[in-house]
Amino acid sequence: MSIYQPERAKKVTTHQLQAMKMRGEKIAMLTAYDYSMAKILDAAGIDVLLVGDSASNVMAGHETTLPITLEHMIYHASGVVRGVERALIVVDIPFGSYQGNSREALTSAIRIMKESGAHAVKMEGGEEIKQSVERVLSAGVPVMGHLGLMPQSIYKFGTYNVRAREDVEAQKLIQDAQVLEQCGCFAIVLEKIPATLAKIVTETVKIPVIGIGAGPHVDGQVLVTHDMLGITKNFAPRFLRRYAELHEIMTAGVQDYIQDIKNKTFPTEKESY
Ligand code: KIV
């Protein structure tokens, strides 16, 4: 039974997230890729919805996030926007649409904002994408940063293991977080890094830090909805807490339906015209 009662009238803004950090109120964020799921998550009171490029894995079945295109992201984001009344909607700029060229980053961000109606974009990287981040921000588009494990760079990293365990990478991550803050990012996602490092970053920067596999000392948490609701099977990293087992519930529902058809018990007269 749910007890959380969000303030229905107030739309979540980047400024409210900042205020939440200041008063120590944790930020709750989840992924959404379509209208129906976004509507459920928003009505439940989620603060931020991320139209993540994890749609490439979860919705399209790709092994990595690299194949998803800008058009796909705009399509997913448009559905989410139509389902949401309150949450702040952030959209990943996909791989290949911003990294090497700040002009392309700006064009991609503007297309996402104009064509989907979302509120902000997210970009993976620190110093190396500084120009792109600045250019997008200069157009008035809020940017969320993303450091630590960056799935768009998976072929550079080689594995999905925890990042920044070594001092050199940890120091770079802290510096990158400061660069993103100085550029004007409104928040940063930290993915799969040691909790102690995430704590240092959270205390170093004034903007909200949202963790996934980054421990409890950050300003908020994000998970992939399909993982935390147990729709995806056979994915059980240490950081993932499952809040439901929808795979089992959905399978049982579909099997009951099949059985009713085979048994000729569906539809009944009452279910017919
Ligand atoms: O694409 C995504 O779902 C993400 C989260 C894991 C933060 O970037």
Side-chain angles (χ1 to χ4, degrees), residues 25-38:
E25 180 184 341
K26 298 281 186 183
I27 297 162
M29 171 163 147
L30 281 171
T31 58
Y33 318 111
D34 68 277
Y35 167 83
S36 302
M37 184 69 88

Side-chain angles (χ1 to χ4, degrees), residues 17 108 111 142 213 226:
L17 298 184
S108 301
R111 277 201 62 196
H226 289 64

Side-chain angles (χ1 to χ4, degrees), residues 102 123 125-147 174-188 205-207:
S102 66
M123 297 158 82
E127 180 69 41
E128 56 285 349
I129 60 155
K130 186 174 173 220
Q131 279 187 352
S132 291
V133 170
E134 282 175 340
R135 191 125 184 213
V136 172
L137 282 161
S138 74
V141 177
V143 177
M144 176 180 271
H146 183 148
L147 298 171
I174 295 168
Q175 277 165 21
D176 279 342
Q178 288 173 311
V179 166
L180 293 175
E181 177 179 40
Q182 280 154 18
C183 285
C185 287
F186 73 89
I188 301 171
V205 298
K206 293 197 170 58
I207 55 175

Side-chain angles (χ1 to χ4, degrees), residues 29-33 50-58 65 73 92 122 124 144-146 149-152 189-191 210-212 222-225 227 239:
M29 171 163 147
L30 281 171
T31 58
Y33 318 111
L50 172 66
V51 184
D53 57 1
S54 51
S56 180
N57 314 112
V58 178
T65 58
M73 292 305 296
D92 266 329
K122 177 161 82 59
E124 294 182 9
M144 176 180 271
H146 183 148
L149 178 65
M150 293 176 281
Q152 292 181 9
V189 166
L190 293 181
E191 180 164 353
I210 318 262
I212 173 165
V222 55
L223 286 174
V224 170
T225 300
D227 297 336
F239 68 78

Side-chain angles (χ1 to χ4, degrees), residues 38-98:
K39 210 170 163 61
I40 293 170
L41 304 178
D42 185 58
I46 200 74
D47 298 313
V48 185
L49 281 178
L50 172 66
V51 184
D53 57 1
S54 51
S56 180
N57 314 112
V58 178
M59 303 304 281
H62 291 296
E63 212 171 292
T64 72
T65 58
L66 274 61
I68 201 159
T69 65
L70 189 60
E71 280 68 29
H72 293 147
M73 292 305 296
I74 291 168
Y75 172 79
H76 287 296
S78 305
V80 169
V81 167
R82 287 190 286 273
V84 166
E85 286 176 25
R86 174 182 173 271
L88 182 84
I89 302 167
V90 183
V91 182
D92 266 329
I93 311 188
F95 176 69
S97 311
Y98 66 95

